[in-house]
């Protein structure tokens, strides 16, 4: 019902990961996770990798194709909604300031894609065109609506 009122939603999942697993250091500051539908993940990954001081993994430290990623599989891929998942290393978001800095970084990387009306076209089995004029993004921190397109 919401889709009919505001347009196609974009599903963004946020997670964190430990700096080491089974005594092995994980070199990534963050990872961009995706499955078959990479129309949002690929440009965001490219923008994040423009900062050469960061090590940003593509489907690292986990894969967006993992069968346990129920939320994106069920709520995004099945209906054809644009989607991406982020993993940020826990030691980089341990304070409010650090978490906000990463939120800002991810928002900046997402914004150009979220402003592109072609993102809101259907993908996969869902073949109806959507009304992109109604689509909008809500900035989670300010609760400000940002028109898409």
């Amino acid at each position: 019902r919401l889709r009919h009122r505001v347009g196609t939603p974009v599903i963004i999942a946020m997670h964190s990961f430990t700096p080491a697993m089974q005594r092995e250091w994980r070199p990534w500051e963050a990872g961009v996770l995706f499955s078959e539908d990479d129309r949002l993940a690929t440009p965001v990954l490219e923008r994040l990798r423009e900062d050469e001081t960061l090590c940003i993994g593509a489907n690292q430290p986990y894969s967006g194709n993992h069968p346990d990623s129920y939320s994106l599989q069920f709520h995004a891929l099945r209906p054809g909604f644009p989607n991406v998942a982020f993993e940020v290393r826990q030691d980089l978001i341990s304070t409010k300031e650090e978490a906000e800095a990463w939120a800002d970084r991810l928002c900046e990387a997402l914004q150009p894609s979220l402003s592109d009306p072609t993102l809101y076209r259907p993908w996969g089995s869902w073949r109806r065109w959507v009304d992109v004029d109604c689509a909008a993004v809500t900035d989670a921190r300010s609760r400000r609506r940002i028109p898409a397109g």
Side-chain angles (χ1 to χ4, degrees), residues 75-97:
H75 296 293
L77 288 173
R78 193 171 81 166
F81 298 151
N83 66 89
V84 66
F86 294 107
E87 292 277 350
V88 180
R89 206 172 67 211
Q90 291 172 355
D91 63 317
L92 301 176
I93 54 173
S94 61
T95 68
K96 179 182 176 185
E97 293 77 21

Side-chain angles (χ1 to χ4, degrees), residues 37-91:
D37 179 3
D38 67 344
R39 62 189 152 155
L40 182 55
T42 296
V44 168
L45 180 62
E46 290 170 0
R47 280 191 283 283
L48 288 170
R49 285 182 167 172
E50 288 174 2
D51 183 343
E52 295 178 4
T53 66
L54 295 175
C55 181
I56 305 294
N59 277 332
Q60 297 290 343
Y62 308 107
S63 171
N65 290 310
H66 195 278
D68 290 338
S69 63
Y70 173 82
S71 293
L72 289 182
Q73 297 289 334
F74 184 81
H75 296 293
L77 288 173
R78 193 171 81 166
F81 298 151
N83 66 89
V84 66
F86 294 107
E87 292 277 350
V88 180
R89 206 172 67 211
Q90 291 172 355
D91 63 317

Side-chain angles (χ1 to χ4, degrees), residues 14 30 44 48 86 88 101-111:
M14 293 290 307
V44 168
L48 288 170
F86 294 107
V88 180
W102 270 96
D104 290 341
R105 178 180 280 132
L106 297 176
C107 282
E108 287 176 22
L110 282 162
Q111 190 58 51

